[in-house]
Amino acid sequence: MSRVLFTMAFALAILVSVSLHEAGHLITAKRFGMRVTQYFVGYGPTIFSWRRGGTEYGLKAIPLGGFCKIVGMTPADDDVAPADQHRVMWRFPVWKRTVVMASGVTMQFLLAIVGLWFAAAFVGVPNLDYPQTQAELAAQPAAIVVGDCVTADAVRACAPTDPVSPAKSAGLRDGDVLTAVNGVPIATYADMLRVIRQTTPGPASVAYTRDGQPGTVRVDLSAVRRAPLDNPTGPVGTVAALGVGLHVSAPREVTFGPIGAFGATVEYSGWMAGQTYEAAKRIPSKVPALWRSITGAERDPDTPVSVVGVSLLGGEAASLGLWSTVLMIFIGLNVFMGFFNLLPLLPLDGGHIAIAWFERARSWVAARLGRPDPGRVDYLKMMPLTYAVILIGGAFTLLTVTADVVNPITIR
């Protein structure tokens, strides 16, 4: 039950984020004197509304976003009352139109920045020094986690009939750092795996340090069947095993305190922007995996998610008490939505900004060449491209929502 409530709460937080996006448009448009007729949270039938300052504010029945109606965003708009002709958006200077169109994503970036500061100060953010790739893990010191058993045939969970781990039998402990096997020095975890694999199963001498003090134990290395370290799908052979894993001493999450969080926010803002860019680049290549996940294949955790999937992940993280994860999901969503809305494509905010500056640049060039001002871009000619963007976006949204309902990504 708590997971359902947390999921609903996270979905509400997303709705608040979208509402603040639209509020950014509303506030700046009214500040510049543009005519704003409506500001609503949600779509569909109106639940309630009120009027103030010539604008109708309210709540609609379908909580899937919100909108701010600014009169005359383009010269093609034909629903402008005669009394509002002087306040239509397209008549205002290009810089003011840019501020209004960019203020929505600015609100979401501000949400992300505030969220990052709060997480860095009090809750925790991912430790950027924590090893992420196989190469980084392999380069770690050979600090170990002692397993309960060794499995002779494959890497799997322990069964009652599996023999006790040689490391456990010999008295090695979690956090011990191995330094040599049979006198062969070990500097990294990769060294440890290589040296043990090259050692004959049976009695061996293992040197280690524990709390800074050196020690040596005799172990009886088990014989197991494994593929080569550099070729996991290669031929299986008999090798030695100690029955240990890698112990990473670095924390997965770090906090910086209220003051240190300001500098961390700058660093992590750049990191989040980079992560968003890399994730966006992978989207086209992940579409086939999304489709396969709908048709019965296992869901790739690296595939895109919709607001449904994000809400499910946020709710699950909250139900598990993973509040840093909750915040990072919310922050990441706002960063992604901000950059996505800046794409120079209609009907996105970035599309309107791009056209406004294209018109300005074209007029400037015409004036320098002594030619007539070419005027405004004909938005009607842009409609086929706009509809194509809407169609592709709608299809992708339907695909991700379906995958999130049929085969959702989970944290566990």
Side-chain angles (χ1 to χ4, degrees), residues 7 27 59 64 68 105 113 127 154 170 184 217 222 228 231 236 240 253 286 293 302 338 357 368 381 387 400 412:
T7 299
I27 293 168
L59 178 67
L64 295 179
C68 171
V105 299
I113 290 171
N127 184 359
V184 180
V217 294
S222 297
N231 185 14
V236 174
E253 296 174 354
K286 293 297 181 179
S293 71
D302 197 34
W357 283 100
R368 293 300 177 274
K381 293 181 179 179
Y387 287 139
T400 53
R412 291 180 177 176

Side-chain angles (χ1 to χ4, degrees), residues 318-342:
S319 69
L320 295 173
L322 304 175
W323 297 109
S324 173
T325 302
V326 173
L327 272 174
M328 294 308 295
I329 291 173
F330 182 72
I331 292 166
L333 175 65
N334 277 280
V335 172
F336 177 81
M337 291 172 64
F339 281 120
F340 176 76
N341 271 290
L342 285 177

Side-chain angles (χ1 to χ4, degrees), residues 244-278:
V244 297
L246 174 63
H247 172 79
V248 180
S249 59
R252 287 184 176 272
E253 296 174 354
V254 290
T255 55
F256 297 86
I259 303 302
F262 286 103
T265 299
V266 175
E267 180 182 7
Y268 277 82
S269 294
W271 176 75
M272 289 292 296
Q275 293 290 104
T276 302
Y277 174 71
E278 293 299 324

Side-chain angles (χ1 to χ4, degrees), residues 147-151 155-165:
D148 292 325
C149 73
V150 289
T151 53
V155 179
R156 54 172 173 77
C158 292
T161 56
D162 290 325
V164 175
S165 158

Side-chain angles (χ1 to χ4, degrees), residues 39-105:
Y39 173 82
F40 273 88
V41 176
Y43 297 100
T46 300
I47 297 177
F48 64 84
S49 68
W50 71 95
R51 291 186 177 276
R52 182 177 180 181
T55 303
E56 182 183 12
Y57 301 86
L59 178 67
K60 290 185 176 286
I62 305 174
L64 295 179
F67 65 92
C68 171
K69 173 62 176 175
I70 304 175
V71 173
M73 290 183 65
T74 75
D77 291 351
D78 56 4
D79 57 348
V80 182
D84 295 331
Q85 286 293 338
H86 66 293
R87 298 177 63 190
V88 295
M89 182 177 179
W90 67 267
R91 293 186 184 278
F92 283 75
V94 66
W95 73 267
K96 290 187 177 181
R97 285 182 282 152
T98 301
V99 169
V100 171
M101 296 311 301
S103 58
V105 299

Side-chain angles (χ1 to χ4, degrees), residues 265-306:
T265 299
V266 175
E267 180 182 7
Y268 277 82
S269 294
W271 176 75
M272 289 292 296
Q275 293 290 104
T276 302
Y277 174 71
E278 293 299 324
K281 285 199 305 184
R282 294 193 298 268
I283 288 177
S285 65
K286 293 297 181 179
V287 171
L290 266 178
W291 176 257
R292 289 193 296 270
S293 71
I294 296 173
T295 56
E298 184 178 353
R299 180 76 182 268
D300 180 354
D302 197 34
T303 49
V305 294
S306 66

